[in-house]
Amino acid sequence: MRRSAGALRHNLARARAFAPGRRVWAVIKAEGYGHGMEWAAAALAGHADGFSVSCIEEALALRESGTAAPILVLQGPRTAADWERCARHDLQPVLHDEQQLGMLAGFRGELPGLWVKLDTGMHRLGFAPMKAQALFEQLRDHPAARRGLHWLTHLACADQTAHPQNAEQLDRFSHAVAELPGHRSLANSALVMSGGAARPSRTEWIRPGIMLYGPSPMEGEVGPERDLRPVMTVTAPLIAVKRLEPGACVGYGATWTADRQTRAGVVAMGYADGYPRHAPTGTPVLVQGRECPVIGRVSMDMLEIDLTGVPDAIVGDTVTLWGEGLPVERIAEAAGTISYELLTRVAGRLRVIDID
Ligand SMILES: *Cc1c(COP(=O)(O)O)cnc(C)c1O
C-alpha cells in the first residue's frame, strides 16, 4: 500500500475550497479510514484546525503520539472516568444522550469545548431538537461548558443531493439552535461537496472524512471528477502467468470457464489483504496502465485476472487493485459496498510505502 501525504493535504485544501471560511475537523477515526490515524494526523498537522475521532481511546492515542491540535470525540464519554480523561487531555466530547448527561452531574472538570448532538432525523445519536434550549439552560453554568457549548448534527442522506430529508434535517437544526450561542457543525464530506456547508451561518466547523482520502461520497461519481486525489494505492505483484485452454475453470467453485484460449495471471492479493471477496468476475484491476478483469472467485491470498488485454504482461509486473488510475469507488460498486468499507479494511500485513 502506497500512501500520499501530499494527496491528503491536497484533498483538505479541496474541502476548504468547497466551504470557504469554515474551520475543519479532519475526520481520522477508524485508523484514518485505513491509512493510519497517527500518520494522517502528522500529515495534516498545521493544515487542519482539529481532528475528529470516534472514541476516547483513539483520542488518547493521538495525544500520546504528540498531537496538540483540538480533538473532537464523536461518540463522547462512556464512563465517568472518560469525562475526567477529556478534561485531562483537552478533548472536546460530543454529548448525545441522557446517560452521559447524568454522569456530567458528578463532573466538575473544564473542557476546551462541549458539543451537544441533536438528532435531526438520522435516529442514531443525539437529543431531540426540541430539547436544545433546555440543555443549553441546564449546561450553560457547568464548568464543562464554560469555555464553549456547541451544537452538531449529522445528515443521513447528504450523498443524495436531491433527497428531501436533507432540507428537513437542516431546517430542524437551524430552528433548534437559532437563538443559542456556540459553534455549529453539520457537514460531512457529502454535504461539503454538495455546497451545503457554504450557506451562511454562525462559526461552522465542517467534518470531512472520506473526501480527504480521495473518494467522492456522492452517488455515481468518483473523486478525480472533483479534483480529489487518491491517498491510498493498493498494488500487488503478478506471481504467475498461464495459458488456459477453452473449457478450463478458474478458482474455488469453478465459477469461471474459459470460452477461448486465454492468458490469465495470478495476483498476490486476496480477501485476507482486504480485497473484497465479493468482487465478481469483471471487477477491474490495472496492469501496465490497462484494465483487466478479475475472473473467478477471490481467494484468501490471491486473485486471478484475464490478461488478454495486456499480452506482454509478465511475472513480477505490478498490479494496481485501486488508487492512482483506478478509483476505489469502482471496486466498491462492483463488490456491492462503499469506498469507506474497502479503505478501512485494508489488512495490517500490507507493506506500507510513504510517498509525498
Ligand atoms: C464519520 C463521520 C463524519 C465523516 O463522514 P464522511 O462521510 O467520511 O465525510 C462526519 N461526522 C460524523 C458524525 C461521522 O460519524
Side-chain angles (χ1 to χ4, degrees):
M1 185 240 282
R2 267 197 329 270
R3 59 184 182 185
S4 163
L8 190 59
R9 288 191 285 266
H10 167 86
N11 296 336
L12 177 71
R14 290 292 296 142
R16 287 198 189 278
F18 277 110
R22 305 299 181 218
R23 278 186 258 178
V24 181
W25 289 120
V27 182
I28 58 171
K29 63 192 182 190
E31 276 304 327
Y33 287 49
H35 299 68
M37 180 179 70
E38 287 156 26
W39 172 81
L44 295 177
H47 295 268
D49 299 291
F51 295 107
S52 180
V53 294
S54 283
C55 59
I56 305 278
E57 288 69 25
E58 289 175 328
L60 295 183
L62 266 187
R63 283 282 180 256
E64 216 153 278
S65 72
T67 303
I71 299 178
L72 175 70
V73 186
L74 293 167
Q75 292 176 0
R78 293 175 193 157
T79 62
D82 281 351
W83 282 105
E84 301 295 340
R85 287 189 188 99
C86 288
R88 192 163 344 116
H89 298 280
D90 231 21
L91 310 178
Q92 303 192 32
V94 170
L95 172 67
H96 58 78
D97 87 347
E98 298 290 343
Q99 188 81 14
Q100 290 175 317
L101 193 58
M103 285 182 244
L104 201 49
F107 171 70
R108 305 312 298 164
E110 273 201 27
L111 299 171
L114 177 61
W115 292 77
V116 179
K117 185 159 196 180
L118 300 179
D119 174 9
T120 53
M122 178 141 173
H123 299 125
R124 196 171 60 176
L125 298 183
F127 293 96
M130 59 180 284
K131 291 211 171 136
Q133 182 68 36
L135 283 163
F136 170 71
E137 274 151 32
Q138 179 179 353
L139 292 167
R140 62 191 304 178
D141 297 323
H142 193 289
R146 192 171 293 151
R147 287 158 64 191
L149 184 60
H150 311 301
W151 307 91
L152 83 164
T153 195
H154 194 52
L155 301 200
C157 307
D159 57 330
Q160 302 161 58
T161 317
H163 200 293
Q165 186 164 328
N166 295 326
E168 287 167 20
Q169 287 198 249
L170 293 172
D171 287 348
R172 278 185 205 123
F173 185 74
S174 36
H175 183 73
V177 302
E179 307 295 322
L180 301 175
H183 299 175
R184 286 95 169 86
S185 178
L186 298 118
N188 59 0
S189 299
L191 193 61
V192 168
M193 290 177 65
S194 59
R199 304 201 322 185
S201 77
R202 212 182 295 244
T203 332
E204 196 181 345
W205 287 75
I206 58 172
R207 303 190 306 272
I210 194 73
M211 71 180 296
L212 300 180
Y213 306 96
S216 168
M218 307 310 284
E219 262 190 341
E221 74 174 36
V222 292
E225 291 173 48
R226 303 286 204 114
D227 188 23
L228 296 174
R229 298 188 193 149
V231 174
M232 175 195 294
T233 296
V234 175
T235 62
L238 201 54
I239 58 170
V241 172
K242 63 199 55 210
R243 196 176 67 186
L244 303 174
E245 297 303 327
C249 300
V250 163
Y252 287 116
T255 61
W256 186 89
T257 307
D259 56 6
R260 54 183 162 75
Q261 223 179 47
T262 303
R263 215 161 157 265
V266 179
V267 185
M269 167 68 48
Y271 60 80
D273 300 297
Y275 195 86
R277 184 175 169 278
H278 291 100
T281 286
T283 304
V285 306
L286 279 188
V287 185
Q288 298 181 7
R290 272 165 288 173
E291 289 191 12
C292 300
V294 167
I295 52 177
R297 279 192 196 148
V298 173
S299 306
M300 182 183 287
D301 309 293
M302 287 174 273
L303 56 80
E304 207 149 332
I305 58 177
D306 181 343
L307 283 171
T308 305
V310 194
D312 49 347
I314 53 167
V315 166
D317 276 359
T318 296
V319 178
T320 298
L321 288 311
W322 65 69
E324 200 64 59
L326 184 60
V328 65
E329 297 95 306
R330 291 194 51 204
I331 315 310
E333 180 168 30
T337 183
I338 53 176
S339 60
Y340 302 66
E341 187 178 25
L342 298 188
L343 296 182
T344 55
R345 286 198 176 176
V346 288
R349 78 174 182 186
L350 294 191
R351 193 162 59 95
V352 175
I353 300 164
D354 286 324
I355 56 171
D356 190 60

